[in-house]
Amino acid sequence: MPQEDEVDRIVAAWGRERADLDFGPLEVLSRVDRLARHLDRARRAAFDESGVEPWEFDVLSALRRAGEPYELSPKTLLQQTLVSSGTMTNRVDRLAARGLVARRTDPRDGRGILVSLTAEGRAAVDAAIADLLAAERDILTGVSDTEQDQLSGLLRRLILGLGD
């Protein structure tokens, strides 16, 4: 029989107290919540290793994923990072001050600007994604590749069902 985890103990205790309820959702989603906390800690440690803040990674990775020439409009960055316009302006200012991004006038629209990844920004985000993947790989060591594919598919279905 597999080992019990804390969720098993919580569900068993609730089952004794409220045998009239189905605790199936708690068994699944409490584990997802606990996993999210472990993932959050692992991600913070990976970003610390790379010298990048999580919010910096969000912006830098959006630019890196855009491909050559690694630039996006502030509007596109807003859509990809789900933050307000004021927050994005502040983030771009801070990243520019660190030399990780640069701004330039959009040649297609002289009133607009483009935010581009600098060589330093590219090096920082490349190091951060490598550290992040190593940390996430460590979390998944007890799960086979096939099981990871199954879990990924189930989580995708759950998330799509929520409209995301």
Side-chain angles (χ1 to χ4, degrees), residues 44-101:
R44 273 189 268 127
F47 293 145
D48 285 348
E49 178 89 14
S50 303
V52 174
E53 295 290 329
W55 66 266
E56 291 175 319
F57 179 78
D58 287 345
V59 177
L60 296 174
S61 66
L63 292 167
R64 181 68 164 99
R65 291 189 315 265
E68 294 265 7
Y70 310 115
E71 62 184 15
L72 295 170
S73 70
K75 180 180 179 180
T76 303
L77 282 170
L78 287 172
Q79 293 167 338
Q80 291 193 17
T81 60
L82 302 175
V83 298
S84 70
S85 177
T87 298
M88 183 53 66
T89 298
N90 181 274
R91 289 180 176 186
V92 170
D93 287 347
R94 290 171 68 188
L95 288 166
R98 285 192 57 196
L100 301 176
V101 302

Side-chain angles (χ1 to χ4, degrees), residues 156-164:
R156 179 183 304 109
R157 185 171 14 155
L158 181 61
I159 289 170
L160 287 173
L162 295 171
D164 194 9

Side-chain angles (χ1 to χ4, degrees), residues 6-158:
E6 187 61 23
V7 174
D8 290 321
R9 291 183 280 281
I10 290 168
V11 169
W14 270 117
R16 286 189 306 275
E17 298 300 315
R18 291 294 312 266
D20 58 313
L21 296 176
D22 171 15
F23 289 98
L26 190 66
E27 290 193 63
V28 174
L29 298 177
S30 288
R31 286 185 174 97
V32 169
D33 181 59
R34 287 171 178 271
L35 177 59
R37 285 187 246 161
H38 284 282
L39 181 57
D40 185 55
R41 282 195 297 271
R43 284 182 167 176
R44 273 189 268 127
F47 293 145
D48 285 348
E49 178 89 14
S50 303
V52 174
E53 295 290 329
W55 66 266
E56 291 175 319
F57 179 78
D58 287 345
V59 177
L60 296 174
S61 66
L63 292 167
R64 181 68 164 99
R65 291 189 315 265
E68 294 265 7
Y70 310 115
E71 62 184 15
L72 295 170
S73 70
K75 180 180 179 180
T76 303
L77 282 170
L78 287 172
Q79 293 167 338
Q80 291 193 17
T81 60
L82 302 175
V83 298
S84 70
S85 177
T87 298
M88 183 53 66
T89 298
N90 181 274
R91 289 180 176 186
V92 170
D93 287 347
R94 290 171 68 188
L95 288 166
R98 285 192 57 196
L100 301 176
V101 302
R103 291 184 179 95
R104 70 179 184 99
T105 303
D106 186 340
R108 295 166 297 196
D109 175 6
R111 296 170 296 155
I113 66 162
L114 293 171
V115 178
S116 59
L117 197 58
T118 65
E120 294 83 5
R122 183 174 173 185
V125 74
D126 284 354
I129 190 65
D131 290 342
L132 175 62
L133 290 172
E136 291 182 354
R137 196 170 289 109
D138 286 347
I139 288 175
L140 292 170
T141 55
V143 182
S144 73
D145 289 346
T146 300
E147 290 168 328
Q148 288 179 43
D149 289 344
Q150 292 170 338
L151 182 57
S152 175
L154 291 169
L155 291 171
R156 179 183 304 109
R157 185 171 14 155
L158 181 61

